[in-house]
Amino acid sequence: MKYISTRGKAPALNFEDVLLTGLASDGGLYVPETLPTFSAAEIGAMAAMDYPSLAQKIITPFVDGCIPDSDLAAIIADTYAEFRHSAVAPLVQLDHNQWVLELFHGPTLAFKDFALQLLGRLLDYVLERRQQKVVIMGATSGDTGSAAIEGCKRCSNIDIFILHPHQRVSEVQRRQMTTVVGDNIHNLAIEGNFDDCQAMVKASFANRAFLPEDRGLVAVNSINWARIMAQIVYYFYAAVALGAPARKTAFSVPTGNFGDIFAGYLAHNMGLPVERLVIATNRNDVLHRVLTTSSMRRQPLQHTLSPSMDITVSSNFERLLFDLYDRDGAAIADLLARFDEGEIAFSETAMARARSLFSSACVDDEQTCAQIAATWENCEYLLDPHSAIGVRAAMTAGIAADIPVVTLATAHPAKFPDAVKGAGLNEEVGLPLHLRDLFERPERCSVLPNDLAAVQSFMASNIRA
C-alpha cells in the first residue's frame, strides 16, 4: 500500500516511511492511496475476535508487508496487554439505544492510548531495525502528551519533546506528563494556547534546520497516519458487538482535531454500516460551524471544562476535504492557503457529501455539567466532560430509535474533577490504583515563552548524542 499527500506534490511513501515522516514535504497529510474493504461476511466473522485479533485484521492491510505478520501480532498483543479491562474497549449501556464505548482503560486513562501505545512500539521496532534515532515533537491540549510519553518512554532511539499550554490543562493531565522519569523526555509549558503549540510543531516540521543532521523529526499528533489507523479498530469492535453488519450503528464523537471521527469515516468507507457520525464540539466549534455554514474561519480560542477539545484549527479536517474535493491536491492546497489569509467557503457539492454522513452539535460548559448530572441521576454512570458532550450531542442528533448510538467515552472522569463538581455531584472520583500516588510524584517541566526560536533552541540543546 502506498500513501499520498492531501496536497498532491509530495512523493508517495510506504507505511514505514509514513510512520517516520508526519507531515508530507508539501505541507499536506498522508492518506492511503486506496482503502482495504471488508465484506458483510468478513465483518460478521469479526464478532468472534477479541480486540487484539481484530486489530491485527484491520491494521495488516495498512502495514502491507513492512512488518512481518508475526512481529505485528506480537506488537499488537503487547500494546493491548497494557489495558486494565480484558475487553480493552467495553461497551456500557446508558439507555435503550444509547451506549458509551469506554476508551479510557489504557495507562493514561484516555482514548489516545489506543494509538500511542501502538505507535511507540511500532517506532521502537522500526528504529531498532534501521539503527536510527529520531526526535519526537508534539503539541497537546491535555491527553496526547501523556499518552505519547507513556507510549514512547521505553525507546532508547527517541528524544521526545511535548508542548502544552502553560496552566491550560487539568492538574491530572499535567502530572501524567511531568512525573514520567527519563533523560529522553522533555515537557515544555508554553506561555500561550494549544493553537500556538500546534503552530510551533507545524513550523518545525516545515523547517528542520535546528536539528542535528542525523536526526529526523517524527509526529505523534494525529497528523501521524498510524494514529488514525489504530483508531479505526474500535469502530468495528463496537458495531459488531451491536449487530453489524445486519444492523447499522451511529457514533457520536467528542472531537477537536477531527482525527478520532475521521477514523470512523474510514471505517464506514471500509464497509462498516455506519448510519451517522455526530461531530460533538464544545464552544470552540469550528467543525460545527463548517457543517452548518459551509465556511471556515478562525475565532478566538475559549477555555472550557473540556480542555482536550479547546482547538480552533482542526488539522485532520484536511484529510476529509481531500475526499470531498475528489482527491484534488491542488484544490486542497489552494483552499488552505486562502484559509491562512482569512475565511474560506466550501462548495455546496462538497458539503452535501459531508452532510450525508456527518451531523454536528455545539455543547457549552453549562450543558456539559447538566448532562453529567442527568446521566448520573438516570443510571449512576459518571461521564467526563468530553464524553458528556458526546452524549448530549447524540441525544440531539435526531437518530431513529431503532439505531444504537455509541458515544466514544474518551477520558476517565478522574482527570477532570472540576467538571464533576460543576455538575453539582459530591461523588469522589478516585484515580485507578496505578495512579493513586500521582500527586506525590516529583514533576519535571520547563516553562518557555511563546516563541518558536526559544523552543527550537531548547530542543537543540537537549537532544542526546
Side-chain angles (χ1 to χ4, degrees), residues 37-178:
T37 57
F38 297 103
S39 67
E42 288 175 309
I43 293 171
M46 292 175 183
M49 298 179 184
D50 62 11
Y51 196 91
S53 300
L54 179 61
Q56 174 98 11
K57 176 78 172 177
I58 301 294
I59 290 170
T60 295
F62 293 109
V63 174
D64 194 29
C66 284
I67 300 174
D69 288 351
S70 59
D71 291 349
L72 181 62
I75 289 169
I76 290 172
D78 189 44
T79 294
Y80 297 112
E82 294 281 328
F83 284 62
R84 298 179 323 281
H85 196 296
S86 58
V88 183
L91 275 165
V92 176
Q93 190 169 11
L94 300 183
D95 204 340
H96 75 282
N97 72 334
Q98 295 283 336
W99 302 74
V100 292
L101 182 65
E102 293 188 339
L103 301 178
F104 50 72
H105 293 287
T108 71
L109 316 183
F111 79 99
K112 295 178 183 182
D113 287 323
F114 279 82
L116 286 165
Q117 285 291 312
L118 178 63
L119 177 61
R121 287 166 172 81
L122 290 170
L123 287 171
D124 203 11
Y125 178 91
V126 170
L127 293 172
E128 192 62 34
R129 189 175 67 189
R130 288 187 172 200
Q131 289 298 291
Q132 182 179 345
K133 293 184 177 182
V134 298
V135 173
I136 282 178
M137 184 181 187
T140 184
S141 54
D143 291 328
T144 293
S146 57
I149 289 169
E150 192 67 33
C152 299
K153 66 181 182 182
R154 65 182 58 80
C155 186
S156 60
N157 295 316
I158 289 174
D159 289 293
I160 182 166
F161 298 84
I162 297 295
L163 286 60
H164 72 267
H166 185 43
Q167 297 180 336
R168 295 296 185 184
V169 299
S170 79
E171 187 172 6
V172 172
Q173 287 175 312
R174 187 193 75 243
R175 286 179 176 273
Q176 283 186 302
M177 293 185 283
T178 60

Side-chain angles (χ1 to χ4, degrees), residues 21 47 77 85 133 150 182 234-235 326 349 362 378 386 395 463:
T21 299
H85 196 296
K133 293 184 177 182
E150 192 67 33
Y234 46 68
Y235 284 92
D326 296 318
T349 299
C362 170
N378 290 342
H386 307 79
M395 294 170 66
I463 294 171

